[in-house]
Amino acid sequence: MTHQLTRSHSQESKVNENRARMLISCPDRAGIVAAVSQFLFEHHANIVQSDQYTMDPEGGMFFMRIEFDMDQLNERLPALKEHFAAIAASFEMKWQISCVSEKKRLAIFVSKEDHCLLELLWQWQAGDLDAEIAMVVSNHEDMREYVESFDIPYHYIPVTHDTKAEATKQQLELVNGSADVIILARYMQIIAPAFIEQYQNRIINIHHSFLPAFVGGKPYHQAFERGVKLIGATAHYVTEELDGGPIIEQDVGRVTHRADVNELKRIGRTIERVVLARAVHWHVEDRILVHQNKTVVFN
Amino acid sequence: MTHQLTRSHSQESKVNENRARMLISCPDRAGIVAAVSQFLFEHHANIVQSDQYTMDPEGGMFFMRIEFDMDQLNERLPALKEHFAAIAASFEMKWQISCVSEKKRLAIFVSKEDHCLLELLWQWQAGDLDAEIAMVVSNHEDMREYVESFDIPYHYIPVTHDTKAEATKQQLELVNGSADVIILARYMQIIAPAFIEQYQNRIINIHHSFLPAFVGGKPYHQAFERGVKLIGATAHYVTEELDGGPIIEQDVGRVTHRADVNELKRIGRTIERVVLARAVHWHVEDRILVHQNKTVVFN
Amino acid sequence: MTHQLTRSHSQESKVNENRARMLISCPDRAGIVAAVSQFLFEHHANIVQSDQYTMDPEGGMFFMRIEFDMDQLNERLPALKEHFAAIAASFEMKWQISCVSEKKRLAIFVSKEDHCLLELLWQWQAGDLDAEIAMVVSNHEDMREYVESFDIPYHYIPVTHDTKAEATKQQLELVNGSADVIILARYMQIIAPAFIEQYQNRIINIHHSFLPAFVGGKPYHQAFERGVKLIGATAHYVTEELDGGPIIEQDVGRVTHRADVNELKRIGRTIERVVLARAVHWHVEDRILVHQNKTVVFN
Amino acid sequence: MTHQLTRSHSQESKVNENRARMLISCPDRAGIVAAVSQFLFEHHANIVQSDQYTMDPEGGMFFMRIEFDMDQLNERLPALKEHFAAIAASFEMKWQISCVSEKKRLAIFVSKEDHCLLELLWQWQAGDLDAEIAMVVSNHEDMREYVESFDIPYHYIPVTHDTKAEATKQQLELVNGSADVIILARYMQIIAPAFIEQYQNRIINIHHSFLPAFVGGKPYHQAFERGVKLIGATAHYVTEELDGGPIIEQDVGRVTHRADVNELKRIGRTIERVVLARAVHWHVEDRILVHQNKTVVFN
């Protein structure tokens, strides 16, 4: 059965086939904006949004995100990229140009807690999440029927101490070539270093605390013990350091002495899903640049 | 006596004598960014921050704010402006370029409620408000001694029904040529149309409600009557329509059924001063553009 | 097909069969708390939570909510109520005592926008909403399959100008005796006065603005036009005055000049569902008392 | 010179000479509320506010705060306390009853950062802080003139490595018998264990981070390094564990990648002063109970 909560087509139709996004990071120096905007102008591209940030005018890094429209984008993009490469080289840029109409493909990893997965599915079916959901991967079978009702493939890969290496291999085979970004939507297993290396700055985790407070397991228990007056959630890119990767977004909610651990979890669930959804949004819209374990978010 | 809470000089020293800000608004079309950034590059200006916003890629308005550094800015600024005028004309731009080191001069109008004035004085003496306070104008004498202790001129202009026209005349004489922006820091008198016309988009008022809820008098009483669960404050530019001008900033705070009107006022005071201070900040740093009764805030 | 997202049974099991809630409102005078707590003590009830609020110590109203545990609650409740009636009469109390284990039955009314309904279904299936969902009523067929997958009855009652009276009659027949509270989860039809009268202070609506700003239709368009910097949502009890009933809960989210009406709607959807869910929570847990078009919320 | 920002006398006059506050904590068991409220009723006291919290209905702790009015409170309080002692003993209560009209006396400790001190002085002079400011103690002379302009004694006690013991002795001599609570308003010296012991749960510190994140020195630098998206402040009672005492209040503010350390400090200052002011408010109104390194706040 295909689920009745089908993707809103009226929303999809508004995607502009001729819109592209450009991301640039390079050492700052005079003339970057002039060179890039002159290049786009000469290629008849119309800048519709532009953000930039200079870490330090003297010797710092420069970051830029441009959205532009260009007629016949698809046909002309290869040449555009080729021409831009020369400019990029002269400024030592790391850069990318992507078509807005080529949606990023998500692989969502989930364990038993379903609220973050459900939030992403909802936003997606409502037309609010500009991405494709390529698959859901889980170490439990619980969510299969629900996920498949949306015509989304569901892969059950159990993980035990002994099968961990095998599971990682299976996961990588599934996502390689099929997913551009991995979302750990309360996936309670450690991701193997080999996996992290392959998806650098493309694995988003939601940690259920206001990092760096309460790193590691059972953060709501830790928060309860410490008696904090706000609880939080943190979306971050996964690095080899547990809960130590670049922070994308955080938010908090107020709690009182009345809240026991279960109530903290209940309040926290809404914070977690809102924070994760925002981070995924920004990622799929190419709004995030990473530099030295920190993020620049042009939102 | 000069007050001991003197302006922090360590903070002041960090002002960059060679930094300028450029504000542009014009009908959108291709090539604006390229033209402006090319112009700045050719004049050896280094862009350190740039924000832009296009209302609608097809036929909308384009807004831009650029901060740039340029050697010998003061000597070269007149020529820079002259050269830019040609570009500006070709794009039908409204524009301004100003030196960061030329601080805006504030005239703060206040009645009996002193918290908003005190907040601005604090932020100023802490070096957090990048402006000069040219004068305080009040229809009461209450704050004279305190204000004068900072070596800031204090002008007492009483306002009664009969003296209203005369008071407006006096006020205009005081501020003309001496103040770039008027801050109504809980000044409880209506500003005359003649005054508003002369200081268009340069009079900032703090209204003690979340506009457009509770326009007019006694908003906390209105909020109490309605039983709202959040109270707010709104900083806006003053137009002839009461509490109807372009909104610059708003914020809210949570209240419960326990709060009577006095408690709403107490909670509200902190919201008011924070909201007004943010709006003044953004104004003096040229972060606000006004278009059709709405603001574009590049913060 | 029964949906796989079945209600969490581990959560349900924690319900205390011996817990009751007492709500009292009466004119304030000395001795109320003493009389009530002495009464409960003599009936071997253990108070586990108690909240009270006095509007004005001199001649104001007194409001109280008590949660208590009592062995064999079900058998003893009728006698308890009978005995309490005498005390209640002497203090002119409006009061109620209810068993926590007797969950309130919700009828959720929805039109085409599904996010508020989905939020309630989620919270319910996650075991976070302590209520039964007796039915979903809609003037559209869109959500039937999804709702029925939870084994929840779905009633399609189209509403046109001509059938309005008939539709109201049908709705009342459905809910009478089957639903304790009506949730208007973005139900875009006016509720008939006869309906409102029958469910006084038991119909909860979510309005997609920070009331009293933007009463009536298209509040996000109104908010866009006014250029507000925060958008909000308001959950309130429905009265005959449009969007004028007692406010239960409100919240806001920050927006910038970049947000067009669609973006306001997108941001607003999350605020709406969070605010409505909180209000429904508080209602089903008997945390809300209404007095003179305002709410006392013991949360 | 006595400062012109004199304490608002209209505000003071509203203090009720006959209002008292009672704080109770004891092991939970049936009958506590009945016994206490019956006692107050028999002594012709009218309860105007009451809050209670039971940690765990089975074997947990019980906490209660009652505000009541009683004619001729001052004359009758000694007898009231004497009579209550018997009830208290039978329930193993820790308890206190205090007159609202007997304001708590604050000793505010400050170093060079003045914003928290200034906030407290402002709230106090505006009549918003229901306390007396007995003295300001500082290891710098900077704020003397300003503080003395309010007729508040200013004590300069320099602290060096060698004079630390002597300084503590001097501080204790100053506050003993003269101050009920110590406010560390960005006082950058470690408080000696002897001092802490004497003022247990009566020393309030403001830490400029969202604890337990960024314990210790330079929290804004730590926050900048970690790239957090929210910065916070925490008011807590001081214990011997650095930044480890019971948390009273916390709040946060949003920051972006654009904010350098100075900007974090600037944004943080407003959070710090708001959070500290709230904590001091609650303390002087007897709204805080401490149990096992956590606070119960009846606000």
Side-chain angles (χ1 to χ4, degrees):
Chain A
M1 180 197 81
T2 301
H3 210 283
Q4 69 280 15
L5 286 178
T6 43
R7 189 79 198 283
S8 155
H9 290 288
S10 59
Q11 294 279 6
E12 285 200 47
S13 64
K14 80 174 176 186
V15 169
N16 190 335
E17 291 294 326
N18 287 325
R19 182 156 299 177
R21 298 182 192 115
M22 186 181 222
L23 281 186
I24 292 168
S25 55
C26 63
D28 191 27
R29 60 181 234 225
I32 303 173
V33 182
V36 173
S37 54
Q38 187 63 30
F39 171 84
L40 289 173
F41 179 59
E42 285 166 3
H43 287 75
H44 306 287
N46 190 25
I47 297 175
V48 294
Q49 195 180 329
S50 167
D51 293 279
Q52 66 173 84
Y53 165 63
T54 301
M55 212 167 246
D56 182 348
E58 319 239 339
M61 286 293 289
F62 172 90
F63 305 92
M64 192 173 203
R65 178 186 185 273
I66 293 178
E67 280 197 39
F68 61 87
D69 288 346
M70 193 167 95
D71 284 345
Q72 283 120 21
L73 177 68
N74 278 317
E75 300 93 279
R76 295 167 59 199
L77 189 57
L80 191 81
K81 285 180 176 177
E82 201 180 318
H83 295 160
F84 189 69
I87 290 176
S90 72
F91 287 97
E92 299 171 78
M93 290 176 178
K94 286 203 292 189
W95 63 284
Q96 64 172 76
I97 303 176
S98 55
C99 291
V100 168
S101 59
E102 277 176 25
K103 293 171 195 298
K104 290 203 172 41
R105 299 161 303 169
L106 313 184
I108 305 177
F109 283 44
V110 68
S111 291
K112 289 209 152 186
E113 293 262 21
D114 59 14
H115 54 284
C116 287
L117 168 62
L118 293 176
E119 179 75 19
L120 293 174
L121 288 174
W122 270 11
Q123 297 223 359
W124 172 77
Q125 60 83 12
D128 282 350
L129 179 60
D130 202 21
E132 294 305 332
I133 300 183
M135 71 189 72
V136 171
V137 176
S138 181
N139 55 335
H140 296 279
E141 279 284 17
D142 305 45
M143 299 297 294
R144 175 181 294 281
E145 191 180 354
Y146 187 76
V147 168
E148 289 182 347
S149 74
F150 288 97
D151 274 349
I152 297 170
Y154 187 90
H155 302 289
Y156 167 55
I157 304 183
V159 182
T160 65
H161 184 75
D162 291 343
T163 64
K164 193 143 179 40
E166 176 58 26
T168 295
K169 192 160 155 281
Q170 271 184 273
Q171 290 167 353
L172 272 171
E173 276 165 14
L174 275 170
V175 297
N176 268 335
S178 302
D180 305 302
V181 51
I182 314 296
I183 314 296
L184 306 183
R186 294 298 303 272
Y187 181 68
M188 308 310 280
Q189 301 288 329
I190 301 289
I191 301 299
F195 202 138
I196 294 171
E197 197 178 348
Q198 199 159 333
Y199 277 86
Q200 213 189 352
N201 296 334
R202 294 191 296 150
I203 308 175
I204 298 175
N205 182 48
I206 180 74
H207 184 74
H208 36 314
S209 86
F210 182 81
L211 287 176
F214 312 132
V215 166
K218 293 192 173 292
Y220 290 126
H221 287 82
Q222 294 183 52
F224 178 76
E225 283 307 313
R226 184 61 188 92
V228 291
K229 299 300 184 185
L230 299 168
I231 56 168
T234 304
H236 64 96
Y237 288 116
V238 173
T239 59
E240 291 205 27
E241 185 189 340
L242 180 66
D243 301 328
I247 292 171
I248 303 168
E249 173 63 339
Q250 306 186 284
D251 215 337
V252 295
R254 194 161 282 280
V255 297
T256 75
H257 57 268
R258 292 190 194 271
D260 58 14
V261 172
N262 279 330
E263 179 71 1
L264 295 186
K265 286 180 182 173
R266 194 183 69 74
I267 295 169
R269 276 194 280 271
T270 290
I271 307 171
E272 290 167 37
R273 53 197 172 110
V274 168
V275 167
L276 178 61
R278 276 190 217 137
V280 174
H281 260 275
W282 296 337
H283 184 95
V284 301
E285 294 177 355
D286 292 321
R287 297 186 177 280
I288 312 175
L289 289 144
V290 178
H291 182 69
Q292 290 178 341
N293 212 45
K294 292 163 73 169
T295 60
V296 170
V297 181
F298 290 126
N299 65 322
Chain B
M1 180 195 82
T2 300
H3 210 285
Q4 70 281 15
L5 287 176
T6 43
R7 190 80 197 285
S8 156
H9 290 287
S10 60
Q11 294 279 4
E12 285 201 46
S13 63
K14 80 177 178 185
V15 168
N16 190 335
E17 291 293 326
N18 288 325
R19 182 156 299 177
R21 299 183 192 115
M22 184 181 222
L23 281 185
I24 293 169
S25 55
C26 64
D28 191 27
R29 61 180 233 225
I32 304 173
V33 182
V36 173
S37 53
Q38 187 63 30
F39 171 83
L40 288 173
F41 179 59
E42 286 166 2
H43 286 75
H44 305 287
N46 190 27
I47 297 176
V48 294
Q49 194 180 330
S50 166
D51 292 278
Q52 65 174 84
Y53 165 64
T54 302
M55 212 167 244
D56 182 346
E58 319 239 340
M61 286 293 289
F62 171 90
F63 304 92
M64 192 172 202
R65 177 186 186 274
I66 293 177
E67 280 197 37
F68 61 88
D69 288 347
M70 194 166 94
D71 285 344
Q72 282 119 21
L73 177 69
N74 278 317
E75 301 91 280
R76 295 167 60 201
L77 189 57
L80 190 81
K81 285 180 175 176
E82 200 179 320
H83 295 160
F84 189 70
I87 292 176
S90 71
F91 286 98
E92 299 172 78
M93 290 175 178
K94 286 202 294 188
W95 63 285
Q96 64 172 78
I97 303 176
S98 56
C99 292
V100 168
S101 60
E102 278 176 25
K103 294 173 194 298
K104 289 201 174 41
R105 299 161 301 168
L106 313 184
I108 305 177
F109 282 44
V110 67
S111 291
K112 289 210 153 185
E113 294 262 19
D114 58 16
H115 54 286
C116 287
L117 168 63
L118 292 178
E119 180 75 19
L120 294 174
L121 289 175
W122 257 14
Q123 298 223 357
W124 172 76
Q125 60 82 8
D128 283 350
L129 179 59
D130 202 22
E132 294 305 332
I133 300 183
M135 69 189 75
V136 171
V137 176
S138 180
N139 56 336
H140 296 280
E141 280 284 17
D142 304 45
M143 298 297 294
R144 175 180 295 279
E145 190 180 355
Y146 188 75
V147 167
E148 289 181 347
S149 74
F150 289 96
D151 274 350
I152 297 170
Y154 188 90
H155 301 289
Y156 168 56
I157 303 183
V159 181
T160 65
H161 185 75
D162 291 344
T163 64
K164 193 143 180 39
E166 174 59 25
T168 295
K169 192 159 155 283
Q170 272 184 272
Q171 290 167 352
L172 273 171
E173 277 164 15
L174 274 171
V175 297
N176 268 335
S178 303
D180 304 301
V181 51
I182 313 296
I183 313 297
L184 307 183
R186 297 296 305 273
Y187 181 68
M188 307 311 279
Q189 301 288 330
I190 302 290
I191 301 299
F195 201 138
I196 294 171
E197 197 178 348
Q198 198 159 334
Y199 276 86
Q200 212 188 352
N201 297 334
R202 294 191 295 150
I203 308 176
I204 298 176
N205 182 45
I206 180 74
H207 184 74
H208 37 315
S209 85
F210 183 82
L211 288 175
F214 313 131
V215 165
K218 292 192 174 288
Y220 290 125
H221 288 82
Q222 293 184 54
F224 178 77
E225 283 308 312
R226 184 61 188 92
V228 292
K229 300 299 185 185
L230 298 169
I231 55 167
T234 303
H236 64 94
Y237 288 116
V238 173
T239 60
E240 291 206 26
E241 185 188 340
L242 181 65
D243 301 328
I247 292 172
I248 303 168
E249 173 63 340
Q250 305 187 286
D251 214 335
V252 295
R254 194 160 283 281
V255 297
T256 75
H257 57 267
R258 292 190 194 269
D260 58 14
V261 172
N262 279 331
E263 179 71 1
L264 294 186
K265 286 180 182 173
R266 193 184 68 76
I267 295 169
R269 277 194 280 270
T270 290
I271 307 171
E272 290 167 38
R273 52 198 172 111
V274 168
V275 167
L276 178 61
R278 278 191 215 135
V280 173
H281 260 276
W282 297 337
H283 183 96
V284 301
E285 294 177 355
D286 292 321
R287 297 187 175 279
I288 313 174
L289 289 144
V290 178
H291 182 68
Q292 289 176 344
N293 212 45
K294 292 163 72 169
T295 60
V296 171
V297 180
F298 290 126
N299 66 322
Chain C
M1 180 197 81
T2 300
H3 210 283
Q4 68 281 14
L5 286 178
T6 43
R7 189 78 197 285
S8 156
H9 290 289
S10 60
Q11 294 279 6
E12 285 202 44
S13 64
K14 80 175 177 186
V15 168
N16 190 336
E17 290 295 327
N18 288 325
R19 182 157 298 178
R21 299 184 192 115
M22 186 182 221
L23 281 185
I24 292 169
S25 55
C26 63
D28 191 27
R29 60 181 235 226
I32 303 173
V33 181
V36 173
S37 55
Q38 187 63 30
F39 171 84
L40 289 173
F41 179 60
E42 284 167 3
H43 286 75
H44 306 288
N46 190 28
I47 297 175
V48 294
Q49 195 180 331
S50 168
D51 292 279
Q52 66 173 82
Y53 165 63
T54 301
M55 212 166 247
D56 182 347
E58 318 240 338
M61 287 292 289
F62 172 90
F63 305 92
M64 192 173 202
R65 178 186 186 274
I66 294 178
E67 281 198 38
F68 62 87
D69 289 347
M70 193 166 93
D71 284 345
Q72 282 119 21
L73 177 69
N74 278 317
E75 301 93 280
R76 294 167 60 199
L77 190 57
L80 191 81
K81 285 180 175 177
E82 201 180 317
H83 294 161
F84 189 70
I87 290 175
S90 73
F91 286 97
E92 299 171 77
M93 289 175 179
K94 287 203 290 189
W95 63 285
Q96 64 172 75
I97 304 176
S98 56
C99 292
V100 168
S101 60
E102 278 176 24
K103 292 170 195 299
K104 290 204 172 40
R105 298 160 305 168
L106 313 184
I108 305 177
F109 282 45
V110 68
S111 291
K112 289 208 153 188
E113 293 263 22
D114 58 16
H115 55 284
C116 287
L117 169 63
L118 292 176
E119 179 76 19
L120 294 174
L121 289 174
W122 254 15
Q123 298 223 358
W124 172 76
Q125 61 82 12
D128 282 350
L129 180 59
D130 202 22
E132 295 304 332
I133 300 183
M135 71 188 73
V136 171
V137 176
S138 181
N139 56 335
H140 297 279
E141 280 284 15
D142 305 46
M143 298 297 296
R144 175 181 294 281
E145 192 180 352
Y146 187 75
V147 168
E148 289 182 348
S149 75
F150 289 97
D151 275 349
I152 297 170
Y154 188 90
H155 302 288
Y156 168 55
I157 304 182
V159 181
T160 65
H161 184 76
D162 291 345
T163 65
K164 193 145 177 40
E166 176 58 26
T168 295
K169 192 160 155 281
Q170 269 184 273
Q171 290 167 352
L172 272 171
E173 277 165 14
L174 275 170
V175 297
N176 268 335
S178 302
D180 304 303
V181 51
I182 313 296
I183 313 297
L184 307 182
R186 296 297 305 273
Y187 182 68
M188 308 310 281
Q189 300 289 330
I190 301 289
I191 302 299
F195 202 137
I196 294 171
E197 197 178 349
Q198 198 160 335
Y199 277 85
Q200 211 189 353
N201 296 334
R202 293 191 296 151
I203 308 175
I204 298 175
N205 182 48
I206 180 73
H207 184 74
H208 37 314
S209 86
F210 182 82
L211 287 176
F214 312 131
V215 165
K218 293 192 174 291
Y220 290 125
H221 287 82
Q222 294 183 53
F224 178 77
E225 283 307 314
R226 184 61 187 92
V228 291
K229 300 300 184 185
L230 298 169
I231 57 168
T234 304
H236 63 95
Y237 288 116
V238 173
T239 59
E240 292 205 25
E241 185 188 341
L242 181 65
D243 302 327
I247 292 171
I248 303 168
E249 173 63 340
Q250 307 187 285
D251 215 337
V252 295
R254 194 160 282 279
V255 297
T256 75
H257 57 268
R258 292 190 194 269
D260 59 14
V261 172
N262 279 330
E263 179 72 0
L264 294 186
K265 285 180 182 173
R266 195 183 68 74
I267 295 169
R269 277 195 279 271
T270 289
I271 307 171
E272 290 168 36
R273 53 197 172 110
V274 167
V275 167
L276 178 61
R278 276 191 217 137
V280 173
H281 259 276
W282 297 337
H283 184 96
V284 301
E285 294 178 356
D286 293 321
R287 296 187 177 279
I288 313 174
L289 289 145
V290 178
H291 182 70
Q292 290 177 342
N293 212 46
K294 290 163 74 169
T295 61
V296 171
V297 180
F298 290 126
N299 64 322
Chain D
M1 180 197 81
T2 299
H3 209 285
Q4 70 281 15
L5 285 176
T6 43
R7 189 80 197 285
S8 155
H9 290 288
S10 59
Q11 293 279 6
E12 284 201 46
S13 64
K14 80 176 177 186
V15 168
N16 190 334
E17 290 294 326
N18 287 325
R19 183 156 296 177
R21 300 183 191 114
M22 185 181 222
L23 281 185
I24 293 169
S25 56
C26 63
D28 191 27
R29 60 181 235 226
I32 304 173
V33 182
V36 173
S37 54
Q38 188 63 30
F39 170 84
L40 289 173
F41 180 59
E42 285 166 3
H43 286 75
H44 306 288
N46 190 26
I47 297 176
V48 293
Q49 194 180 330
S50 166
D51 292 279
Q52 65 173 86
Y53 165 62
T54 302
M55 212 167 247
D56 182 346
E58 318 240 339
M61 286 293 289
F62 172 91
F63 305 92
M64 192 171 202
R65 177 186 186 275
I66 294 177
E67 280 196 38
F68 61 87
D69 289 347
M70 194 166 92
D71 284 345
Q72 282 119 22
L73 177 68
N74 277 317
E75 300 93 281
R76 294 167 60 200
L77 189 58
L80 190 81
K81 285 181 176 177
E82 200 179 320
H83 294 160
F84 189 69
I87 291 176
S90 71
F91 286 97
E92 299 171 78
M93 290 174 178
K94 285 202 292 188
W95 64 284
Q96 64 172 76
I97 304 175
S98 56
C99 292
V100 168
S101 60
E102 278 176 25
K103 294 171 194 300
K104 289 201 175 39
R105 300 161 301 168
L106 313 183
I108 305 177
F109 283 44
V110 67
S111 292
K112 288 209 154 186
E113 293 262 21
D114 58 16
H115 54 285
C116 288
L117 168 63
L118 292 177
E119 180 75 19
L120 294 174
L121 288 175
W122 270 11
Q123 297 223 358
W124 171 77
Q125 60 82 10
D128 283 349
L129 179 59
D130 202 21
E132 294 305 332
I133 300 183
M135 70 188 74
V136 171
V137 175
S138 180
N139 55 336
H140 296 280
E141 281 284 15
D142 304 45
M143 298 296 294
R144 175 181 295 280
E145 191 181 353
Y146 187 75
V147 168
E148 288 181 348
S149 75
F150 289 98
D151 273 350
I152 297 171
Y154 188 89
H155 302 288
Y156 167 55
I157 304 183
V159 181
T160 65
H161 184 75
D162 291 344
T163 64
K164 194 146 178 39
E166 175 59 24
T168 295
K169 191 160 156 281
Q170 270 183 274
Q171 290 167 352
L172 272 171
E173 275 165 15
L174 274 171
V175 297
N176 267 335
S178 302
D180 304 302
V181 50
I182 313 297
I183 313 296
L184 306 183
R186 296 298 304 274
Y187 181 68
M188 306 311 279
Q189 301 289 329
I190 302 289
I191 301 299
F195 201 136
I196 294 172
E197 197 178 348
Q198 198 160 335
Y199 276 86
Q200 213 189 353
N201 296 333
R202 294 191 294 151
I203 307 176
I204 299 175
N205 182 47
I206 180 73
H207 184 74
H208 37 315
S209 86
F210 183 82
L211 288 175
F214 312 131
V215 165
K218 293 192 174 291
Y220 290 124
H221 287 83
Q222 294 184 53
F224 178 77
E225 283 307 313
R226 184 62 188 91
V228 292
K229 299 300 185 183
L230 298 170
I231 55 166
T234 304
H236 64 94
Y237 288 117
V238 173
T239 60
E240 291 206 25
E241 185 188 340
L242 180 66
D243 301 329
I247 292 172
I248 302 168
E249 173 64 339
Q250 305 186 286
D251 215 336
V252 295
R254 194 160 283 281
V255 296
T256 75
H257 57 267
R258 291 191 196 269
D260 59 14
V261 172
N262 279 331
E263 179 71 359
L264 295 186
K265 286 181 182 173
R266 194 184 68 75
I267 295 169
R269 278 195 278 271
T270 289
I271 307 171
E272 290 167 39
R273 52 198 172 109
V274 167
V275 167
L276 178 61
R278 278 191 214 134
V280 173
H281 259 276
W282 296 338
H283 184 95
V284 301
E285 294 177 356
D286 292 321
R287 296 186 176 280
I288 313 175
L289 288 144
V290 178
H291 182 67
Q292 290 178 342
N293 212 45
K294 291 164 73 170
T295 60
V296 171
V297 180
F298 290 126
N299 64 323

